[in-house]
Amino acid sequence: MPPDSPSTRPSAIGRRALLGAAAAAPVLAALPAPASAAPTKHKKRRRLQGGGDLGPDVLVFDPSTPRIQARLDEVFARQESAQFGTGRYALLFKPGTYHGLNAQLGFYTSIAGLGLSPDDTTIHGDVTVDAGWFDGNATQNFWRSAENLALVPANGTNRWAVAQAAPFRRMHVRGGLNLAPTGYGWASGGYIADSRIDGQIGPYSQQQWYTRDSVIGGWLNGVWNMVFSGVEGAPAQSFPNPPYTTLETTPVSREKPFLYVEGDEFRVFLPEKRTGARGVTWGNGTPRGTSLPLTRFYVARPGVSAATLNQALDQGLHLLLTPGIYHVDQPIRVNRANTVVLGLGYATLIADNGVTALKVADVGGVRLAGFLVDAGPVNSATLVEVGPRGASRDHSANPVTVQDVFIRIGGAGPGKATTSMVVNSRHTIVDHTWVWRADHGDGVGWETNRADYGVVVDGADVLATGLFVEHFNKYDVQWNGERGRTIFFQNEKAYDAPNQAAIQNGPVKGYAAYKVGDHVTQHEGWGLGSYCYYNVDPGIVQHHGFAAPTRPGVRFHDLLVVSLGGNGQYECVINDTGAPTSGTATVPSTVVSYP
């Protein structure tokens, strides 16, 4: 461990608030051209066709492709510091072996293999995220991903120094994994799932991390909150010292859909649901699940209307959103069971005129994955609605999954939304989301990007695995449904509250980061953390990070609150329990079990 080990020195995500041409054509273009946009209202609508070209911002390589490194470098040069830019890219590698590559990933860049197993596509080299663009601070390394590849790192260890919204899925690292930037600066991540890391994972300065259903060769250290579920090789339960929360299995999981090739044909694989999951899904080769040809998908290109997307859904097609920006002036309506909405390269939906960007009916098996939703300048009541209000059907056999779906209010421009995501459907699995009211960028201010609630769960039996929700004006998470469960939660309260009165919640000082409804009789959470950084008025006092009814069926394990450098303080951890934070030392106050 380096001499300035983060386990012994203060570390502050809040510092991020103070620091303030198209790609080359894809190699694979053998599929038919995409259907045209919706015709005018005076003409009969043509039936939309499935399949199509993936567009200029999806780069598909095979081992014989020339200039692969140069093309990777071109994309990185565009995206390295383009935090709120409009570029979106997917880098796809057909099965085979590649030598001498270093794929550096910037903003809105996804890299993935196109085999059924990560081991079908092997890179002798690295997939690198570092923080040179931000003077060695990795706390803003958002919106990038790596999936379905095997890596043989050039020096034995791959560097993946990310913050929120940067999943590492279905990866096989034949070596070690370093989660810190060069120089071990601040870092605020992160998420690993369905991956095998043969060597040791070194988080170093990472303040929190969640690893699910994986196999690892070891884990070096922990700063505040390291959570594992279903991970072979995970460290033993020891919170708060070291701060490891370890569950032997994940209660329910279903891995994210992914694109792959079979011969010259693109297909989408849909992994099956697992209960009591542990380890990777692909350990014995082909994963278990079903497969759909690309011809069953409407391949959407930026500029297509919401009306056309809904026409495709009405026809029974699934949606594949290719990289780019999509303005929607009406909700995308997913009304059919087992529909897949899959984004590539951080395809982004912008809610225009105060609409809800996407609504799911009370149907089972829907899979939402791999896209970003931005609020527009006109306030939306909600941005994503999973199930209508009052949804009550039992979806335990075939749940809705929401995976790598990220929501943003402000930052890239003006945006407002009263509630970002509402989950009404029973048995929904929210597997890795970052729901963010921006604390920096354009259109940012206490009222400028007003957003009262991050995630509201009204449905019963909902499971969240990897829940990141930050900076909302009131409750970041409000959980009203029965039998809810959360494994790993990361939160920062809104930095920009102007004074104590602005956050006052009746007689309570501040809104909890995570609030369980007073009527709820059963709820459980593991490894939950909330941080405050009230830099506008450092004298603000937050009574607690967590609020819940005190009854035997409502249980929490391994909670913490942290004041970042003394900018605001917590009086308690949960309800009236737990020691206050104190002074300027960035040291967590913890509660191991509640009640």
Side-chain angles (χ1 to χ4, degrees):
M1 190 175 298
D4 61 342
S5 166
S7 62
T8 58
R9 62 176 171 83
S11 182
I13 300 174
R15 298 286 181 148
R16 72 162 80 127
L18 301 179
L19 303 169
V27 173
L28 187 66
L31 297 174
S36 61
T40 68
K41 64 182 179 180
H42 302 293
K43 297 179 181 179
K44 184 178 179 180
R45 293 192 305 178
R46 289 187 297 172
R47 187 169 180 82
L48 299 172
Q49 299 301 308
D53 186 89
L54 299 181
D57 297 328
V58 177
L59 280 65
V60 183
F61 305 104
D62 65 44
S64 65
T65 302
R67 299 183 64 251
I68 295 177
Q69 185 64 57
R71 297 175 74 186
L72 297 176
D73 291 346
E74 288 166 6
V75 173
F76 180 63
R78 295 188 188 104
Q79 300 304 112
E80 180 183 11
S81 58
Q83 182 170 179
F84 298 114
T86 58
R88 304 285 188 273
Y89 296 93
L91 312 173
L92 305 182
F93 286 76
K94 296 177 75 173
T97 302
Y98 301 77
H99 292 276
L101 297 181
N102 180 19
Q104 300 182 82
L105 300 188
F107 288 97
Y108 314 110
T109 305
S110 298
I111 188 170
L114 289 171
L116 272 176
S117 166
D119 288 326
D120 293 341
T121 310
T122 299
I123 293 177
H124 289 262
D126 297 88
V127 172
T128 301
V129 178
D130 207 341
W133 74 279
F134 203 43
D135 299 323
N137 180 341
T139 62
Q140 292 184 26
N141 281 348
F142 313 137
W143 305 306
R144 63 202 76 197
S145 67
E147 299 185 48
N148 205 28
L149 291 165
L151 302 178
V152 183
N155 69 353
T157 300
N158 190 76
R159 186 181 302 278
W160 186 255
V162 297
Q164 289 80 1
F168 198 79
R169 289 184 180 269
R170 292 178 55 77
M171 295 289 286
H172 184 186
V173 180
R174 298 175 190 167
L177 189 63
N178 184 341
L179 305 180
T182 300
Y184 303 96
W186 290 304
S188 174
Y191 175 91
I192 292 171
D194 199 23
S195 294
R196 181 184 296 272
I197 315 301
D198 292 346
Q200 185 180 66
I201 298 177
Y204 299 105
S205 53
Q206 282 288 354
Q207 293 150 345
Q208 68 278 318
W209 200 276
Y210 175 49
T211 307
R212 178 181 64 72
D213 300 349
S214 294
V215 180
I216 64 176
W219 190 271
L220 179 62
N221 72 295
V223 178
W224 294 338
N225 190 30
M226 304 289 166
V227 179
F228 309 83
S229 68
V231 178
E232 298 175 19
Q237 170 72 33
S238 58
F239 187 90
N241 187 26
Y244 300 149
T245 298
T246 303
L247 288 73
E248 284 296 305
T249 61
T250 303
V252 187
S253 66
R254 189 175 68 192
E255 298 302 332
K256 177 175 176 273
F258 61 92
L259 198 66
Y260 73 104
V261 290
E262 187 175 88
D264 289 328
E265 179 189 19
F266 279 119
R267 298 181 69 87
V268 174
F269 193 82
L270 308 177
E272 70 175 21
K273 187 189 77 168
R274 296 198 291 169
T275 57
R278 182 172 173 84
V280 299
T281 62
W282 46 271
N284 295 319
T286 303
R288 301 177 71 171
T290 57
S291 173
L292 293 170
L294 196 65
T295 53
R296 295 278 304 278
F297 286 77
Y298 177 70
V299 179
R301 299 280 287 272
V304 70
S305 69
T308 299
L309 297 175
N310 282 327
Q311 181 188 348
L313 292 169
D314 290 344
Q315 286 182 200
L317 293 170
H318 307 275
L319 296 183
L320 184 73
L321 305 174
T322 64
I325 309 296
Y326 298 75
H327 283 269
V328 294
D329 58 0
Q330 61 179 271
I332 298 170
R333 297 185 181 275
V334 180
N335 295 324
R336 179 173 49 90
N338 302 310
T339 298
V340 180
V341 180
L342 176 63
L344 299 180
Y346 287 82
T348 302
L349 307 176
I350 300 180
D352 287 342
N353 305 323
V355 304
T356 298
L358 188 146
K359 292 187 175 185
V360 180
D362 192 7
V363 295
V366 171
R367 305 180 196 229
L368 309 177
F371 55 90
L372 175 64
V373 179
D374 263 328
V378 178
N379 186 73
S380 294
T382 62
L383 291 171
V384 174
E385 181 184 273
V386 182
R389 181 177 297 181
S392 59
R393 294 178 181 174
D394 187 323
H395 299 303
S396 56
N398 191 20
V400 176
T401 47
V402 181
Q403 299 176 286
D404 302 347
V405 173
F406 308 118
I407 300 177
R408 177 172 65 188
I409 299 91
K416 291 186 177 182
T418 303
T419 303
S420 292
M421 179 163 62
V422 177
V423 180
N424 292 312
S425 291
R426 293 182 62 194
H427 303 101
T428 297
I429 301 171
V430 180
D431 175 45
H432 189 230
T433 188
W434 184 39
V435 181
W436 186 56
R437 175 181 167 266
D439 60 90
H440 61 275
D442 292 335
V444 171
W446 183 249
E447 296 294 345
T448 307
N449 61 329
R450 181 85 193 186
D452 285 349
Y453 307 103
V455 176
V456 174
V457 180
D458 288 333
D461 306 291
V462 172
L463 171 66
T465 52
L467 185 60
F468 300 72
V469 188
E470 296 188 299
H471 305 308
F472 286 84
N473 295 78
K474 293 185 177 179
Y475 293 125
D476 298 274
V477 172
Q478 186 168 357
W479 204 300
N480 301 316
E482 286 287 357
R483 297 176 300 280
R485 292 174 291 183
T486 295
I487 303 172
F488 182 88
F489 171 68
Q490 185 265 328
N491 165 264
E492 292 176 350
K493 294 303 299 174
Y495 297 162
D496 55 351
N499 49 50
Q500 186 75 42
I503 68 161
Q504 194 68 17
N505 180 16
V508 180
K509 298 173 184 175
Y511 288 81
Y514 188 107
K515 163 70 173 174
V516 178
D518 294 340
H519 65 280
V520 172
T521 60
Q522 294 183 60
H523 188 91
E524 194 159 11
W526 296 263
L528 283 65
S530 177
Y531 323 146
C532 74
Y533 185 75
Y534 289 117
N535 63 314
V536 175
D537 181 358
I540 290 176
V541 175
Q542 175 87 21
H543 181 61
H544 48 217
F546 304 92
T550 302
R551 51 177 60 106
V554 179
R555 303 186 300 273
F556 288 91
H557 316 274
D558 303 354
L559 300 170
L560 69 139
V561 296
V562 181
S563 168
L564 304 181
N567 290 275
Q569 300 291 345
Y570 292 91
E571 292 179 326
C572 304
V573 179
I574 180 169
N575 294 343
D576 300 323
T577 298
T581 56
S582 179
T584 59
T586 304
V587 177
S589 177
T590 62
V591 168
V592 173
S593 181
Y594 185 87

